[in-house]
């Protein structure tokens, strides 16, 4: 009912490694029954990957588990792991295993529901669900464990939640259960029973139109996902809502029984003290109608103490548990910032923290906490707004994208400012929300297990990545593309963001850049280059802090989600003295061939040769490879070292062949640092590549025109974009805060 734990009066028992834990978990799923050794081996090593020594490993794991469980033995010697042909069995009392207790209470609750006692059924089923501590065997699931028995347990939990909803509705609790039902149906759109329950609750709350909207959404999900129409019961319910069938209303005697129960719960027992009466009045009535934890949420826990740094002068806080999405952002400053004095480092952190706050609020969230380099955003869920989960993911991705240049589809992006990185984690579930009133303004503090889960995810998120939980992924996957975090089945990274789906009457924050006109021009030339097989040159001129790099970054990002794929190669020209004239061409060539920093010289040559053979054939690849050798292994002794001009000529030939194979976009940054030879090659690339779908995009300072006053002058198919400052540009304000007194750092 959460992570696997064995608890005794003296604390938790150490269960050992993942293999031992998995063996015990599988045996507990079949408690007091013999599990054949072959079945246990299949569970521990799925898909026929068991080593030859698998049985020996299992025997050792069982031996260690026996020793561990011996420390957990009570007066009656429970639990016990025994060998029984043809395998093993865990002998344990039913009351000692949460799963067995859960199943027993579920049986009692369902019996009460069948006996027309919904009040008892609701209470017992709520107690059963309170045993859950998250995903069943969460620690094993996190490591990729998938068992049919585990899936069945998870499905049983969903069934029980729907049983409790039914019990709540049967005893008039439609107001109390409404918010939880909305979150559940959003998470499980294909479960018709829950959708029917939500329709009934909305109808009884006087929200007939929204009840019909639930039917429309459920039908769209079923038809779009499975090709099925809703079942007959749901269709009949829709007709009943349309005709306002009296059978949907609660019977008068049901309402009378509920009012009596609430009155009894609110009345203190005879002879109780004033303090007891006060406590009962504050909590008793709420307990009778308090909703159980929402779908996929952690169990209810009392709000913790006031967080450190909370305002001292506050009114009484209001504590609630609400479906919500949490966004947690953390910024890192690398060794590049070590030379700065502490006050300047604080200025940098203040700038990026302000960026995070602006983005969280722009996407409809609230900043719930700001501690050092960590920002916590809170996004409430409501039917009137775009999904809180989607808004949180978009906010986190927007912050990341302001500070980085996208790399390959699954690789971490490259920071715009060297040494400055951000990572983000997004989790959805039920949060403890404490509203503090300070000087007339209401400020939220967010607590509960949801924040702990988000913190744990953030600790395992690489720099530059946005990780989401599985529920967030399922709520947003129609408009956001993800890829798995390694072999995990519950952690996902954002890959690409699609257009937002705005709720009626609401304008969702736009992802569009403030340089839309410039981007439209660049896209127009790209379409022309593709459809007419005609090379074009675009020069983007801008000083430091005017968004040059950001514009190039945004253009590259949009190319990554184009329906018609293009190959994009990027290179940044280093300052004189910090890199040779071939650094940027070598960067582009390595990206095309798939050469990484970890590749040996021999491996890099092999990848380059394979790529060139595919483009030019065996005979054509051989001379090209010799001329391009300085791009692959600079400084390597060779029989004959080609000149820079010869290498750039072969590189230009390679680009033409690559563009003929697939439309090609080159993106250069800081070209004003290039020497005359490289400038000549880049400027005339479009002149020597006729009838080729090639777009050459150059980013540079205006200094480029001082070095070459006639840059691209009079040439066909060329365009120059001179950037002016954009008002209220968040990233520009950030870059100006990075303490570059002489304005010489190329960070934008």
């Amino acid at each position: 009912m959460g992570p696997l734990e064995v608890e005794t009066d003296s604390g938790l028992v150490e269960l050992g490694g993942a293999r031992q834990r998995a063996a015990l978990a599988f045996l507990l799923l079949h408690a007091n029954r013999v599990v054949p050794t072959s079945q246990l081996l299949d569970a521990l090593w799925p898909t026929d990957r068991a080593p030859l020594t698998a049985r020996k490993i299992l025997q050792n794991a069982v031996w260690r588990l026996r020793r561990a469980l011996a420390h957990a033995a009570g007066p009656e010697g429970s639990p016990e792991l025994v060998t029984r042909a043809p395998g093993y069995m865990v002998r344990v009392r039913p009351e000692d295993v949460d799963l067995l207790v859960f199943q027993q209470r579920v049986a009692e609750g369902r019996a009460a529901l069948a006996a027309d006692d919904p009040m008892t059924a609701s209470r017992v089923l709520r107690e059963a669900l309170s045993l859950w501590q998250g995903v069943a065997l969460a620690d094993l699931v996190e490591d990729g464990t998938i068992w049919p028995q585990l899936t069945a347990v998870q499905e049983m939990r969903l069934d029980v939640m729907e049983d409790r909803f039914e019990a709540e509705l049967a005893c008039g609790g439609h107001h109390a259960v409404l918010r939880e039902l909305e979150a559940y149906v959003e998470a499980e759109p294909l479960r018709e029973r829950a959708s029917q329950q939500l329709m009934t609750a909305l109808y009884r709350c006087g929200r007939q139109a929204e009840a019909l909207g639930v039917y429309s959404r459920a039908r769209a999900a079923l038809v779009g996902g499975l090709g099925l129409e809703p079942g007959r019961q749901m269709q009949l319910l829709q007709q009943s809502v349309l005709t306002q069938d009296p059978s949907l209303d609660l019977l008068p005697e049901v309402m009378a029984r509920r009012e009596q129960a609430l009155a009894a719960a609110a009345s203190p027992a005879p002879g109780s003290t004033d303090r007891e009466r006060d406590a009962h009045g504050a909590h008793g009535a709420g307990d009778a109608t308090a909703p159980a934890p929402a779908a996929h949420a952690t169990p209810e826990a009392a709000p913790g103490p006031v967080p450190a740094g909370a305002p001292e002068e506050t009114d009484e806080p209001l504590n609630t548990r609400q479906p919500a999405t949490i966004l947690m952002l953390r910024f890192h400053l690398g060794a590049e910032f070590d030379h700065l004095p502490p006050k300047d480092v604080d200025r940098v952190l203040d700038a990026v923290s302000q960026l995070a706050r602006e983005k969280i609020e722009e996407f409809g969230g609230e900043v719930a906490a700001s501690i050092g380099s960590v920002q916590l955003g809170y996004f409430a869920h409501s039917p009137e707004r775009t999904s809180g989960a989607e808004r949180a993911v978009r906010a986190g991705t927007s912050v990341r994208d302001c500070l980085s240049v996208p790399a390959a589809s699954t690789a971490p992006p490259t920071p715009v400012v060297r040494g400055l990185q951000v990572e983000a984690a997004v989790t959805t579930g039920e949060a403890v929300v404490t509203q503090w009133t300070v000087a007339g303004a209401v400020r939220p503090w967010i607590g509960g297990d949801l924040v702990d889960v988000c913190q744990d995810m953030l600790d395992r998120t690489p720099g530059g990545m946005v990780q989401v939980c599985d529920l967030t992924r399922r709520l947003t996957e129609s408009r956001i593309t993800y890829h798995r975090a390694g072999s995990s089945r519950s952690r996902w990274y954002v890959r690409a963001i699609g257009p937002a789906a705005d709720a009626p009457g609401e304008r969702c924050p736009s992802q569009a850049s403030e340089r839309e006109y410039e981007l439209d021009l660049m896209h127009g030339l790209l379409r022309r280059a593709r459809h007419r097989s005609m090379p074009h040159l675009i020069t983007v001129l801008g000083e430091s802090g005017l968004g040059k790099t950001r514009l190039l970054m945004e253009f590259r990002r949009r190319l990554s989600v184009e329906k018609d794929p293009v190959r994009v190669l990027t290179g940044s020209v280093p300052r004189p003295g910090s890199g040779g004239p071939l650094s940027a061409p070598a960067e582009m060539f390595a990206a095309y061939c798939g050469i990484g920093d970890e590749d040996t010289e021999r491996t890099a040559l092999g990848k380059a040769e394979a790529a060139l053979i595919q483009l030019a054939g065996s005979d054509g690849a051989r001379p090209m490879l010799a001329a391009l050798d300085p791009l692959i292994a600079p400084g390597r002794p060779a029989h004959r070292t080609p000149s820079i001009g010869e290498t750039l000529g072969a590189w230009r030939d390679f680009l033409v062949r690559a563009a003929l194979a697939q439309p090609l976009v080159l993106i250069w940054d800081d070209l004003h640092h290039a020497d005359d030879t490289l400038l000549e090659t880049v400027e005339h690339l479009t002149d020597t590549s006729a009838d080729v779908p090639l777009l050459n995009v150059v980013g540079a300072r205006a200094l480029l025109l001082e070095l070459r006053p006639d840059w691209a002058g009079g040439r066909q198919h060329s365009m120059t974009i001179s950037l002016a400052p954009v008002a209220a540009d968040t990233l520009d304000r950030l870059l100006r805060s990075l303490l570059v007194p002489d304005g010489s750092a190329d960070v934008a």
Side-chain angles (χ1 to χ4, degrees), residues 659-675:
L660 290 173
Q662 182 181 9
L664 185 63
V665 177
L666 305 181
I667 299 180
W668 303 79
D669 200 6
D670 297 335
L671 192 69
H672 54 276
H673 290 321
D675 65 3

Side-chain angles (χ1 to χ4, degrees), residues 225 400 638 720:
R400 188 274 309 270
T720 299

Side-chain angles (χ1 to χ4, degrees), residues 686-699:
T686 52
D687 297 341
T688 57
S689 309
D691 303 322
V692 174
L694 171 66
L695 182 64
N696 194 21
V697 182
V698 170

Side-chain angles (χ1 to χ4, degrees), residues 73-199:
E76 300 181 18
S78 178
E80 185 180 7
L81 201 168
V82 298
T83 302
R84 289 286 184 273
Y88 302 95
M89 175 178 68
V90 168
R91 193 157 49 202
V92 63
R93 294 179 300 176
E95 60 267 29
D96 288 342
V97 181
D98 282 350
L99 178 59
L100 300 182
V101 175
F102 171 73
Q103 292 170 342
Q104 176 60 35
R105 292 185 181 174
V106 168
E108 295 171 3
R110 287 174 172 171
L113 193 59
D116 198 22
D117 185 3
M119 293 289 283
T120 300
S122 175
R123 175 180 56 80
V124 175
L125 293 175
R126 190 161 56 241
E127 291 174 357
L129 289 166
S130 70
L131 294 170
W132 284 78
Q133 306 294 318
V135 178
L137 299 178
D139 51 337
L140 299 178
V141 172
E142 188 73 12
D143 291 333
T145 297
I146 303 176
W147 294 331
Q149 298 86 348
L150 199 51
T151 303
V153 171
Q154 293 291 107
E155 289 296 319
M156 183 181 183
R157 181 193 186 189
L158 299 182
D159 293 338
V160 174
M161 294 187 71
E162 292 173 6
D163 290 340
R164 190 183 68 79
F165 294 148
E166 182 179 335
E168 289 277 5
L169 293 174
C171 59
H174 43 275
H175 285 287
V177 81
L178 180 59
R179 176 172 289 180
E180 189 179 352
L181 256 174
E182 289 174 330
Y184 181 89
V185 170
E186 185 178 11
E188 302 290 342
L190 299 181
R191 295 183 73 93
E192 292 188 53
R193 183 187 180 195
S195 293
Q196 294 176 60
Q197 291 168 337
L198 178 57
M199 290 175 65

Side-chain angles (χ1 to χ4, degrees), residues 171-320:
C171 59
H174 43 275
H175 285 287
V177 81
L178 180 59
R179 176 172 289 180
E180 189 179 352
L181 256 174
E182 289 174 330
Y184 181 89
V185 170
E186 185 178 11
E188 302 290 342
L190 299 181
R191 295 183 73 93
E192 292 188 53
R193 183 187 180 195
S195 293
Q196 294 176 60
Q197 291 168 337
L198 178 57
M199 290 175 65
T200 302
L202 287 168
Y203 180 84
R204 290 179 181 174
C205 291
R207 296 159 65 176
Q208 178 180 346
E210 293 177 53
L212 295 173
V214 172
Y215 177 85
S216 299
R217 292 194 297 273
R219 181 181 182 276
L222 287 166
V223 172
L226 303 175
L228 298 174
E229 290 287 340
R232 178 166 177 76
Q233 284 188 342
M234 195 164 184
Q235 295 180 27
L236 291 175
L237 178 58
Q238 182 206 26
Q239 292 300 316
S240 296
V241 172
L242 287 169
T243 59
Q244 299 183 358
D245 191 330
S247 65
L248 293 178
D249 298 325
L250 279 173
L251 297 175
E253 55 266 29
V254 173
M255 293 303 298
R257 285 201 305 267
R258 180 172 181 82
E259 291 172 1
Q260 292 172 2
L262 293 177
S267 301
S272 59
T273 65
D274 290 342
R275 179 175 295 181
E276 288 169 340
R277 282 194 294 271
D278 292 342
H280 196 86
H283 304 291
D287 289 345
T289 59
H296 302 280
T298 52
E300 184 167 356
V306 179
E312 295 181 1
E313 297 180 5
T314 62
D315 297 330
E316 278 297 315
L318 174 63
N319 300 330
T320 58

Side-chain angles (χ1 to χ4, degrees), residues 386-435:
T386 305
S387 163
E390 180 181 339
R391 289 184 284 118
V393 176
R394 289 181 180 275
T397 307
S398 181
V399 174
R400 188 274 309 270
D401 290 348
C402 283
L403 301 174
S404 60
V405 178
S409 58
T410 60
T414 303
V416 171
V417 181
R418 291 184 182 89
L420 173 59
Q421 277 195 327
V422 60
E423 63 248 11
V426 182
T427 54
T428 300
E430 193 177 48
V432 176
V433 182
T434 304
Q435 299 287 356

